[in-house]
Structure formats: structure tokens, C-alpha cells
Amino acid sequence: MVILITIPFTFLAFQHAQYAKQQLYGEKERTLLTIATSLEQRIPDSFDTLVDGAGGISADDKRRVLYGKLQPILQELSLDWPGYGFGYYDKALGILALIPEEPRLLGTAATGGALKTYDTKRPETVYVSNGFTQSGEEILSINYPLYVGGDFVGHIWANVKSKDIQAAYYAELVKTFSLLVAILLIILGGLWWLIWNNKHSLTILAEHIRRGGEETAHFRDFPQIQPLLETVTDLRYRLKSEYATQVRVSAEIARLDRLNLISEMAAGVVHEVRNPMTVIRGYIQRMMLKAEDSQTEQYATIIKELDHMNDTLTAFLSLAKNRRVEIGLHNINGIIENLLPFIMADTNKAGIKAHFYPTERPLMVYADDREIRQLVLNLTRNAIEATPANGILSIKTSLVGNTVCITVADTGEGIAPWNMEKIFDPFFTTKDSGTGLGLAICKSIIGRHNGSIDVRSERGAGTVFTVELPVVA
Ligand code: ADP
Ligand code: MG
């Protein structure tokens, strides 16, 4: 910007100064011409007449006579034109009279330098030129020829010091450049103010964004930044939701950790309990052989219950992470049918009706039968616990493509929507004596069989759990 302003400005400044100089020159030239013409008019007669009036006398005498006539004229005019030099010159007699007066120069021939006329050798024309005084000062001179009867006899000259013209030229330049500097200072000052002002507003805006503000009023001065704010806001929201996800994920990890711990503890406890149970079972069996007939049935019941306990403990072991899953080809309908007596025992006690709707054909699935048993029992136990007397529990199996579905439906109290997410968490229970492990175990069993579980529930109407198992896990 400085360059853009300075270059044309400099050009104009020089032109302007040049013009001013020209003006001054012109003025001086006009004055010189005025002096020259008034000198011409003031000559009473031609040189020759003047000289002739003196009669055939010597050149020196002629000069003296002419000096006597002409010098007073010059003297008089010099009052009107102070600062100017001028005089009369005769071709043959040299300088006749001059201002400022200097007798030593009278009669000398004009030389080049002061009056360029003598360099050009054309003194018979009007001629304005630059030159130097004998003391070396710049002068502007005019040569004004004098003719007598068509003959060129001599000339008038006038000159003036022209140093002040150059000085005026420089003064003009200094003036214009001062103006330029002033203008530049004003422009730069304005720019600085503008930048400072914007910087200040930007700082406020940045602080506003940093604090999470979103009002667009702050962007009046910088609408271009609006998209930036939108990006920042968007990122902020994304970060928030990312953070929420992370919190959820770490909660899930904590849940899995807990499940893991439970599995390991369960495995340990089950192991410790099963050993003494085997001993007890052995003794009971031996006692049963020796017992009277009336007691054998009771012993058999004890053994059956012990076996049931053992089964339950084994099912519990299915929580253990490193437990080996014993996959075999099993009929899901068969497994459930075998469980029905146990389920019925519970439903009868609770005054609930139980129905089983198996598919016509056996549903053969590669699975761990003990785990499937555990799964069905956990679901039915929950259903029975949630259903009041006269309710209905229905178990249904079906085959859709390569997927086996086991549906456990009840007409119980249903699950509150806000609990829906939590029911599979270990230790989540709404029951006073619940463990909160049933559904957690179901989930891990289904996970090991590459299946899925879905729940639909309506409060006061009932709940349907649907388990899907691939025929070949
Ligand atoms: P627990 O049975 O020990 O409470 P579960 O993991 O088996 O633990 O079940 C967790 C919770 O899920 C139960 O406390 C109950 O609130 C809810 N629930 C599970 N099944 C049903 C169902 N069929 N009807 C209503 N609520 C159920
Ligand atoms: Mg339960």
C-alpha cells in the first residue's frame, strides 16, 4: 500500500515542483523582457545618433559620451527593478553602461558564460538562457537586439539570479513530500487502529467461543467465522456423546469384570460343595442298601434331590469363563419335556397353569444340554415368580430357517421400562431375596451358543422372552 501510494505521489510531486519552477522561470522571463523593452524605449535615439552628435571622435570618447547618456537611464530603472542586472552593449564599443555599476567592465567585450548569446553566435535574436555570473552564481539572462535602420548594432541585456528558483523547486518538493508523509501516517494510523480494533473484538469472540457461547450476536463483525463456530459446536457435541459412550463402555467393562469374578468364585464354591456332596451321596447309597423297604423311597428321594442339587451347581458352573462347553446333538423339545415336572411342581405351588407347545418334529441342535436346561429353568423361574395365581406360563418352540426359537411367556406383572436395560446385569434384582444372577447366566449361556435373547414386556400384562439358537452353533 505504501509503495502504491508513494510511487504515483513521487511522480506527481516532481511534476508539481517542475511546474512551479517553470512558473517562476516564466515570471522571471517576463520581467526580463519587460526590462529589456523598457530599456529599448528609453533610448532617446539610436546609438549612432548619440555618437554622431559627438562628432568624429575616438572610440573611448564615444563610449564616455554614451555612458553619460545611458547610465542615468539604467540608474533610474534599477529603482523599479531591484535585484536585476542590466545594461547596454554595442557591437563595436563593448559594454556601454551596466547595473550594478562596475566601471572596470565598461568597454569590455561580452563573453560566453554569462550570456549564452555569445556561444550561439546569434546575438541578433531575442534569447533567454541560463548562465553564471563571474562569481559563479546561477543567473537567467535575456539578450535583446538593437537595430538601427535595419542594421544590427548591439543589444540590451538583463539578468537576474536564478538560485531562488532552484530553492523554490526544492521547497516545493519538501512541501509535497511532507504532505505525503502526513497522508501515509494517517493511513497507517487508521490501519493500525482498524487492526487493533479487530484484534480486540477477535479476542473477545475467541473467549466467547472458548467458554462455549453460541449466540450469533457476537459474530456480527465476523460473519466469516460463523461456520467455524458451527464446527466447534459440532465437535463439542460429538465429544460429549463420545464421552457418554466411553462412560457406558467402561460401565459395561466393569459389569463384565464383575461377571468374571462371580464366575470364578462360583466355580470355586461349586467345586468345594460338590466334593462333600459326592461323599454324602455315597453314604446314602450304602445306607439305602441296608435300609428297610419302607425307608428306601425316602433315601431315593434324598439321592434324587442331591442329584438335582448337583445339576444346579453344575449349571451354575456354566458361568465360569474357562468352563468347557460340552457340545452334543440334542433335541430341544426333549430337554424341555424332561424339565416339565420340575416346572410343574413350581407352577402348581403358585396356582399357575403351565403349557408347553413343542414343534411336531424334534428340534435337533448342537448345544450343551445342561446349559440349555439351566437357561430354560432360569426363564421359567422368573416367569413363575412374576405371575400371580391363575396366571399362565407358556413355553413354545419353533424353527425359523436354521434358527431354533424358545419362547417363554407369562401373564405376570411385566418389567418397568426403566429396568429393561438392567435386567441382564449381574446382581440386578427387584426381588427381596433375588440374586440378580438368573438372566446374567442366561446371557452368558446364549453368548456361548452364538444365540440371542429378546424381551418384550407390558406392565401388568406379561412378559415374553424369546431365545434364538442356531441349529449348529
Ligand atoms: P432375580 O430373579 O434373582 O431377581 P434375574 O436376573 O433372574 O434375577 O432377574 C432380574 C430381574 O428381572 C428380576 O428381579 C425382575 O425384576 C426382572 N424379571 C426377569 N424376568 C421377569 C419376568 N418374566 N417378569 C417380570 N420381571 C422379570
Ligand atoms: Mg431370576
Side-chain angles (χ1 to χ4, degrees):
M1 192 157 162
V2 168
I3 289 169
L4 275 182
I5 292 175
T6 306
I7 289 175
F9 206 98
T10 307
F11 177 74
L12 286 177
F14 276 104
Q15 255 205 343
H16 176 73
Q18 191 64 35
Y19 175 75
K21 189 172 159 182
Q22 243 35 185
Q23 287 289 107
L24 267 178
Y25 263 120
E27 212 171 276
K28 296 220 168 189
E29 271 174 28
R30 275 194 298 283
T31 312
L32 289 178
L33 194 66
T34 310
I35 294 172
T37 47
S38 31
L39 279 180
E40 188 196 24
Q41 280 159 18
R42 295 290 290 275
I43 296 173
D45 227 326
S46 73
F47 286 180
D48 277 346
T49 328
L50 289 170
V51 177
D52 284 350
I57 48 172
S58 71
D60 273 351
D61 287 339
K62 271 188 187 172
R63 212 179 286 120
R64 213 174 303 116
V65 172
L66 286 170
Y67 173 76
K69 297 264 186 191
L70 297 173
Q71 191 64 31
I73 301 173
L74 298 186
Q75 219 70 52
E76 195 190 322
L77 270 177
S78 74
L79 298 177
D80 290 341
W81 310 103
Y84 284 80
F86 38 84
Y88 290 106
Y89 188 87
D90 182 277
K91 212 165 59 173
L93 302 174
I95 295 172
L96 298 177
L98 77 167
I99 288 289
E101 197 172 1
E102 203 161 343
R104 161 176 84 78
L105 292 175
L106 290 174
T108 56
T111 51
L115 216 51
K116 289 270 168 55
T117 317
Y118 297 99
D119 289 338
T120 60
K121 311 256 191 284
R122 296 187 61 218
E124 65 277 10
T125 52
V126 178
Y127 196 90
V128 179
S129 66
N130 283 310
F132 292 94
T133 60
Q134 271 152 344
S135 53
E137 287 178 280
E138 285 173 56
I139 48 167
L140 183 68
S141 314
I142 187 166
N143 170 73
Y144 195 87
L146 284 173
Y147 290 90
V148 174
D151 291 333
F152 172 66
V153 292
H155 63 81
I156 298 165
W157 86 85
N159 57 29
V160 64
K161 283 176 189 161
S162 58
K163 214 172 100 191
D164 58 329
I165 295 181
Q166 202 57 28
Y169 174 74
Y170 289 129
E172 205 59 42
L173 276 185
V174 166
K175 228 163 68 189
T176 334
F177 276 108
S178 306
L179 186 69
L180 168 68
V181 169
I183 289 175
L184 282 179
L185 279 180
I186 288 170
I187 289 175
L188 289 177
L191 274 180
W192 185 83
W193 181 82
L194 219 79
I195 289 169
W196 184 86
N197 208 35
N198 275 3
K199 219 169 87 180
H200 183 66
S201 310
L202 263 181
T203 312
I204 292 174
L205 186 62
E207 180 62 18
H208 172 72
I209 296 174
R210 198 180 66 76
R211 277 204 239 95
E214 285 162 33
E215 305 110 71
T216 38
H218 283 82
F219 291 89
R220 238 191 358 255
D221 296 342
F222 308 99
Q224 301 88 337
I225 293 179
Q226 184 82 37
L228 195 70
L229 173 78
E230 275 151 28
T231 312
V232 168
T233 310
D234 182 49
L235 282 177
R236 204 173 265 148
Y237 282 125
R238 290 228 305 258
L239 212 63
K240 247 185 222 165
S241 80
E242 282 294 312
Y243 178 70
T245 311
Q246 204 178 326
V247 166
R248 253 206 336 275
V249 166
S250 42
E252 178 71 10
I253 287 172
R255 190 185 75 89
L256 290 175
D257 277 352
R258 255 186 350 251
L259 193 64
N260 222 10
L261 184 69
I262 289 300
S263 309
E264 276 159 26
M265 275 167 57
V269 170
V270 165
H271 193 67
E272 289 305 313
V273 172
R274 271 205 316 188
N275 285 346
M277 265 173 58
T278 319
V279 178
I280 293 170
R281 196 182 186 277
Y283 278 112
I284 299 278
Q285 241 169 351
R286 270 174 59 187
M287 285 158 77
M288 194 171 127
L289 291 176
K290 294 179 196 163
E292 293 163 21
D293 282 352
S294 60
Q295 286 179 322
T296 36
E297 201 181 323
Q298 288 166 4
Y299 282 120
T301 310
I302 292 176
I303 287 174
K304 205 181 92 187
E305 287 301 319
L306 276 174
D307 286 346
H308 180 57
M309 268 171 80
N310 192 44
D311 278 354
T312 311
L313 290 177
T314 307
F316 208 67
L317 258 190
S318 55
L319 269 176
K321 196 172 65 178
N322 295 326
R323 187 190 165 278
R324 268 185 57 209
V325 183
E326 285 166 30
I327 298 289
L329 190 60
H330 297 287
N331 176 11
I332 290 288
N333 290 340
I335 291 175
I336 297 174
E337 249 146 43
N338 286 337
L339 284 175
L340 276 180
F342 301 103
I343 297 169
M344 297 291 227
D346 286 345
T347 49
N348 286 342
K349 210 160 65 187
I352 301 167
K353 282 199 196 89
H355 299 293
F356 179 41
Y357 306 102
T359 49
E360 263 175 45
R361 291 158 163 240
L363 279 180
M364 301 311 286
V365 165
Y366 279 98
D368 183 326
D369 58 332
R370 287 178 305 173
E371 288 207 321
I372 299 299
R373 219 172 294 147
Q374 177 80 61
L375 170 71
V376 174
L377 278 177
N378 285 357
L379 292 178
T380 50
R381 195 160 301 150
N382 279 344
I384 293 164
E385 282 165 358
T387 312
N390 297 322
I392 298 166
L393 163 70
S394 21
I395 306 165
K396 211 183 112 182
T397 58
S398 57
L399 181 68
V400 181
N402 269 341
T403 306
V404 167
C405 295
I406 307 167
T407 311
V408 178
D410 64 62
T411 57
E413 63 193 3
I415 302 169
W418 53 88
N419 283 335
M420 228 24 165
E421 264 186 20
K422 293 183 269 184
I423 55 171
F424 291 101
D425 290 353
F427 303 118
F428 175 78
T429 180
T430 56
K431 299 163 193 169
D432 290 339
S433 59
T435 60
L437 286 172
L439 287 179
I441 291 169
C442 287
K443 202 172 183 183
S444 76
I445 291 171
I446 290 162
R448 277 194 290 278
H449 285 82
N450 295 326
S452 65
I453 184 162
D454 176 61
V455 54
R456 274 176 298 123
S457 184
E458 196 177 320
R459 296 208 81 192
T463 306
V464 180
F465 279 92
T466 307
V467 175
E468 292 188 346
L469 295 173
V471 171
V472 177

